[in-house]
Amino acid sequence: MLLCIDCGNTNTVFSIWDGHLFIATWRTATDHRQTADQYYVWLSTLMNLKGIEATISDVIISSTVPRVVFNLRVLADRYYNCRPLVVGKPDCDLPVAPRVDQGTTVGPDRLVNTVAGFNRYGGDLIVVDFGTATTFDVVDSDGAYIGGVIAPGVNTSLEALHMAAAALPHVDVTKPQSAIGTNTVACIQSGIYWGYVGLVEGIVRQIRIERDRPMKVIATGGLASLFDQGTDIFDSVEDDLTMHGLMLINRHNRERASA
């Protein structure tokens, strides 16, 4: 079985692929102090509760937090007796290499979403990921990542607003009943929600103008389904896009190694 690990700035997600489907997914807060032993105790306990007895034979990691990768490598080596693939490292091959400025380092999460998006929807694609940052990944007709956009994440913007203006409360992200708020919380919720809807629609519109061709738009990330309620810009919302991409990259590298 394959263990896919997606380590983001806020949360780290572990999913197990049995060769046909993902049979379990768990989420924990990202913490660089978490040791390999702690990861194993936590993960093995959850596997036992789920009744998963098969042995993990492969591990693949995508991480936007470099300090976490070492302990995840140790986890794979010490407890699963395998050398993990780490997206973005030289020994982890991609189906199609990214085409960006020389010397540019592309976030591994963006590479993984590109692979998954192309597999499911083909090229000429925009993947919008609502994470700690809101990212727009542009996928060419052959599946290559060719660039994109990085904007502050929704919760990041809310936190910055709260910290910069002490009189303003911290609020949850939700779709407001109307654009015109009649109290402070409603005003902030409207500004965040409709502001991000406008941001997404505006950036997608500009990308389509620059590409001068039809572009499908796929949304992913924890808040994707919420913002899908306020716009018809998305062709689809994908909950498991990153994990699907990790599985595909692992399969590609295993097939390449055995060829």
Side-chain angles (χ1 to χ4, degrees):
M1 290 196 301
L2 169 67
L3 174 61
C4 298
I5 306 175
D6 173 33
C7 178
N9 290 292
T10 304
N11 294 312
T12 300
V13 181
F14 294 73
S15 286
I16 296 178
W17 173 260
D18 71 353
H20 303 283
L21 51 83
F22 285 103
I23 58 175
T25 297
W26 301 287
R27 184 181 303 266
T28 187
T30 298
D31 184 355
H32 70 272
R33 297 168 299 180
Q34 191 93 332
T35 67
D37 302 326
Q38 289 173 313
Y39 279 125
Y40 178 73
V41 170
W42 174 78
L43 189 59
S44 60
T45 300
L46 291 172
M47 289 176 65
N48 287 334
L49 289 172
K50 191 77 172 177
I52 300 172
E53 299 179 356
T55 303
I56 290 172
S57 57
D58 294 281
V59 178
I60 184 168
I61 302 166
S62 169
S63 177
T64 58
V65 186
R67 296 176 69 184
V68 176
V69 174
F70 174 78
N71 285 328
L72 292 175
R73 282 183 178 272
V74 174
L75 169 70
D77 178 65
R78 180 179 297 168
Y79 291 105
Y80 303 123
N81 195 32
C82 69
R83 180 178 180 179
L85 281 172
V86 180
V87 179
K89 299 299 182 182
D91 62 342
C92 183
D93 189 57
L94 297 174
V96 183
R99 291 194 288 271
V100 293
D101 294 342
Q102 188 172 4
T104 298
T105 300
V106 181
D109 54 333
R110 309 183 77 179
L111 298 174
V112 172
N113 285 346
T114 294
V115 171
F118 180 72
N119 175 261
R120 285 183 169 172
Y121 297 97
D124 295 325
L125 182 70
I126 304 169
V127 180
V128 184
D129 189 350
F130 292 91
T132 304
T134 301
T135 59
F136 299 72
D137 304 322
V138 182
V139 185
D140 207 349
S141 56
D142 64 348
Y145 170 87
I146 57 172
V149 177
I150 301 175
V154 178
N155 285 311
T156 304
S157 296
L158 272 173
E159 190 65 30
L161 181 63
H162 174 63
M163 293 180 66
L168 296 180
H170 183 78
V171 302
D172 293 328
V173 184
T174 187
K175 182 182 178 182
Q177 294 182 348
S178 62
I180 302 173
T182 55
N183 57 69
T184 302
V185 170
C187 289
I188 295 173
Q189 289 175 333
S190 180
I192 288 293
Y193 187 85
W194 295 114
Y196 268 85
V197 168
L199 179 145
V200 170
E201 291 178 341
I203 290 176
V204 166
R205 180 173 61 250
Q206 188 60 33
I207 291 173
R208 284 172 166 166
I209 290 171
E210 293 181 10
R211 294 290 291 162
D212 192 25
R213 66 186 71 181
M215 302 285 290
K216 297 181 290 293
V217 184
I218 308 304
T220 190
L223 294 174
S225 58
L226 174 64
F227 283 94
D228 184 47
Q229 299 172 23
T231 179
D232 59 0
I233 198 76
F234 302 126
D235 293 285
S236 181
V237 175
E238 295 283 343
D239 294 328
D240 65 340
L241 195 67
T242 302
M243 288 301 161
H244 182 66
L246 285 171
M247 180 275 293
L248 292 171
I249 293 171
N250 182 78
R251 177 188 294 172
H252 170 76
N253 278 267
R254 295 310 172 207
E255 291 175 350
R256 183 169 174 265
S258 62

